[in-house]
Amino acid sequence: VGYALPLKDMSELRKAEAEVCEIAASYQRLIRGFRNLINDHPAVDLLPELVDLDEVSEHTDEQTPSTLYSHLKEFLLREQAMLDGPQLEKFRKRSKEKDPISGNPRYGEKTMGRVMKLLETHETLSGAIDIMHTVHEFQPHVKNDVLNLIMLSLHDDVKSSQKSSLADYVKVLADGEERKRQKDSEEKLSQEEVGRLEELKRAKDEEEALRKHLEEEKRKQDEHAKKLELERRKQVMKDEQEKRIKEEEEKRRLEEEQKYINSILKGKEGVKIQMKRLRESCGEDMAAYRVAARSLHILFSQILARPEELRFRLIRSNHPQFHEDIGRWIGGREILIAAGFEVIKIDEITCYVTKEPSLEQDMDAWSAWFDGLKNTVQIIEDEMDKAKRLM
C-alpha cells in the first residue's frame, strides 16, 4: 500500500486526466477524418487507436482538407504542450518513488493504475505524432470527389509520386483546397462581371428615376403643406376674430343682464311688482298663471321648511319643469331676484341661488333672510287667493 497522495497531487491528476481525455477524443476524430479523406497516405494505417471509434461522437464539422488540417494543428499544439510541460515528467518520476520506511510505491494500486494509463496514453499520442511527421513515399490517389478536384488543381510534382509526411500532405491538400476555392471564386467573378456591371447600371438608372420621383413627390408635398398652412393661418385668424366678437357680445350681454338684475326692486314691493308682471305675461291663460304661482309657492315653502338644504335653494334655469312652469313667463325669474336670489354660473349654466346666512355668526342677518322668504310666500298666497276669486 502506498502512502497517502496529497490533495494537490490528486487535483493535478484529475486535471491531467480530463485534458488527455479531450486530446484523445480529438485524436480519434482525426483518425476518422484521415480515413474518410486521405486514404492514400501510408501513415494513416500506421496510426494507433486509443478507443473504439463508436465511443467518440461524430464530428459535426464538414469533412474537408481545411477543417481536417485545422483539427490537426489544434491536436498537435495541445499534445505537444502536454509533452513539453513538467507535469508528465512529475507523474513519471513519482510513479518510481517509494516510501523510505515501508518501501512501498509512492502511489496506491488504484492511483498507480490511473497514472500509468495517463502516461501510456501520452506515449501513444507521442508515437502517433512521430508517425504523422515521418516522411513516406507514395502515389497520391484519392477516391473522394472533392479531393480529386483539388488534386487536379495542384502542381504536377504533387500529382505524381512524392515523398511527404502525413502532416505535410494534409497541409498541401488544405492549401490546394484554398487555391482551388480562390480560383473558382475568380472564375465565378469573371463570368459574373458583365452581368454585375449591367445590374449596377440598371440599379443606378432605377435609383436615379426613384430620386427624381421622390423629388417631385416632395415638391408636391411641400406645395400642399404650404397651402394647408396658409389655410390654417387664415382659419386661426378667423376663429380668433369670431372668438373676440363672441366674447365682446357675451360681455355686453352679461353687462345688460347684470344691469337688468340690478334694476329689479328687491324686497316685498319688488316681489309684488314681479307677481303682477307674471300675471300680465300669462294674459288670459289663468291656468298657466295658477301653475306658475303654485310652483313658486312650493319652491319657497320647501326652502322655509328646510333652509339648510342647498338642493332647495339652488335652481337651474335649464331645468325643464322650472322653465315650463315659471321660467318662460315674464316676471317668473324676476320674482326670484326680487326675493333675494343671486345669479351664478355652474358649468356654463345660469343658476339662481339664495344663500343662507350663518345662524351662529349673524343671527340678525339670518332672521332678515328668513323673514324675507316668509313675506314672499305670503305675497304669493295673497295673489293665489285673488286668482281664485276671479275664477
Side-chain angles (χ1 to χ4, degrees):
V1 179
Y3 53 87
L5 189 66
L7 292 177
K8 181 179 178 181
D9 289 0
M10 291 298 294
S11 176
E12 291 178 350
L13 178 58
R14 284 193 295 269
K15 184 177 180 181
E17 287 175 329
E19 181 74 12
V20 76
C21 182
E22 292 180 5
I23 296 175
S26 176
Y27 170 71
Q28 287 301 126
R29 283 193 289 269
L30 273 177
I31 292 180
R32 181 181 288 115
F34 290 150
R35 291 177 180 175
N36 289 339
L37 291 179
I38 309 180
N39 47 23
D40 54 345
H41 197 285
V44 174
D45 294 331
L46 300 178
L47 292 173
E49 290 191 13
L50 296 177
V51 295
D52 294 336
L53 292 180
D54 294 339
E55 295 182 13
V56 180
S57 61
E58 290 289 340
H59 207 286
T60 57
D61 287 352
E62 181 183 357
Q63 291 288 346
T64 67
S66 295
T67 58
L68 190 61
Y69 183 56
S70 175
H71 297 158
L72 175 60
K73 288 191 296 182
E74 179 184 1
F75 163 73
L76 292 176
L77 183 66
R78 294 184 65 179
E79 178 58 22
Q80 198 62 50
M82 287 292 294
L83 294 173
D84 294 341
Q87 197 172 47
L88 292 181
E89 183 59 31
K90 177 180 177 181
F91 284 123
R92 186 177 291 107
K93 179 181 177 181
R94 291 185 177 181
S95 67
K96 299 176 182 180
E97 294 178 353
K98 294 185 178 182
D99 189 312
I101 298 176
S102 64
N104 292 325
R106 177 183 178 89
Y107 296 133
E109 181 179 351
K110 184 177 180 180
T111 304
M112 179 65 78
R114 291 169 58 187
V115 171
M116 295 308 297
K117 182 178 179 181
L118 174 68
L119 296 174
E120 289 170 2
T121 301
H122 279 294
E123 287 177 2
T124 302
L125 293 175
S126 177
I129 291 176
D130 291 340
I131 293 174
M132 291 179 189
H133 286 98
T134 300
V135 176
H136 295 268
E137 183 173 356
F138 68 103
Q139 178 68 38
H141 177 70
V142 294
K143 298 179 181 179
N144 186 283
D145 293 338
V146 175
L147 286 181
N148 277 325
L149 293 174
I150 296 173
M151 293 293 292
L152 291 174
S153 68
L154 298 178
H155 300 296
D156 293 337
D157 58 339
V158 179
K159 297 176 188 176
S160 60
S161 62
Q162 67 168 16
K163 293 182 178 181
S164 173
S165 69
L166 177 60
D168 291 339
Y169 185 46
V170 174
K171 183 178 186 304
V172 168
L173 292 178
D175 292 343
E177 180 184 30
E178 177 61 21
R179 288 197 298 273
K180 182 178 183 303
R181 186 191 66 77
Q182 292 179 356
K183 182 179 178 182
D184 292 344
S185 177
E186 290 172 358
E187 290 178 354
K188 183 178 180 181
L189 289 175
S190 178
Q191 294 171 359
E192 295 177 352
E193 185 65 19
V194 175
R196 187 180 69 84
L197 292 176
E198 291 178 351
E199 181 64 24
L200 286 175
K201 184 178 182 303
R202 182 167 57 253
K204 185 176 180 181
D205 293 341
E206 292 177 355
E207 183 180 355
E208 179 65 17
L210 177 61
R211 183 186 65 78
K212 292 181 178 180
H213 173 72
L214 293 177
E215 287 180 351
E216 179 63 18
E217 288 295 316
K218 186 176 185 304
R219 185 189 65 78
K220 292 180 180 179
Q221 291 176 1
D222 290 344
E223 290 182 354
H224 183 63
K226 289 179 181 179
K227 182 179 178 181
L228 291 178
E229 178 63 17
L230 182 59
E231 293 176 353
R232 186 191 68 81
R233 291 182 180 181
K234 289 181 179 180
Q235 186 62 42
V236 168
M237 294 176 64
K238 182 181 177 181
D239 292 344
E240 290 178 350
Q241 184 177 10
E242 291 178 353
K243 181 180 179 182
R244 285 195 300 270
I245 293 173
K246 288 181 180 180
E247 289 176 349
E248 291 173 358
E249 290 177 350
E250 179 65 13
K251 182 179 179 181
R252 286 194 297 270
R253 188 191 67 78
L254 292 175
E255 289 175 351
E256 290 295 328
E257 182 179 349
Q258 189 61 45
K259 183 177 179 181
Y260 175 66
I261 291 173
N262 293 339
S263 68
I264 296 174
L265 182 63
K266 311 300 187 298
K268 292 172 61 176
E269 294 302 320
V271 173
K272 290 178 181 181
I273 292 172
Q274 298 306 325
M275 283 298 295
K276 181 180 179 182
R277 294 182 68 197
L278 176 61
R279 186 173 63 252
E280 292 173 350
S281 175
C282 293
E284 296 181 359
D285 191 351
M286 292 301 294
Y289 175 68
R290 286 193 296 273
V291 169
R294 184 170 61 253
S295 296
L296 285 168
H297 187 269
I298 293 172
L299 188 153
F300 280 95
S301 296
Q302 286 176 330
I303 298 174
L304 285 174
R306 302 289 295 276
E308 73 281 359
E309 291 287 346
L310 178 61
R311 62 192 179 96
F312 294 137
R313 293 185 285 107
L314 177 65
I315 303 166
R316 294 178 178 269
S317 64
N318 66 340
H319 192 287
Q321 195 63 48
F322 172 77
H323 177 75
E324 177 66 22
D325 295 348
I326 302 171
R328 65 192 178 107
W329 305 110
I330 297 174
R333 299 169 185 262
E334 288 80 355
I335 290 173
L336 300 178
I337 304 300
F341 276 73
E342 297 178 6
V343 180
I344 62 173
K345 291 281 188 178
I346 299 179
D347 297 331
E348 300 300 322
I349 298 173
T350 300
C351 300
Y352 302 93
V353 62
T354 177
K355 298 179 181 179
E356 179 189 16
S358 174
L359 183 62
E360 292 81 5
Q361 296 179 6
D362 196 342
M363 179 65 178
D364 293 339
W366 188 90
S367 297
W369 171 76
F370 195 75
D371 289 342
L373 294 174
K374 289 194 295 183
N375 291 333
T376 300
V377 170
Q378 185 59 52
I379 293 171
I380 294 172
E381 290 176 350
D382 292 344
E383 291 297 322
M384 292 173 67
D385 290 340
K386 290 180 183 179
K388 287 181 181 179
R389 289 196 296 271
L390 294 175
M391 291 179 59

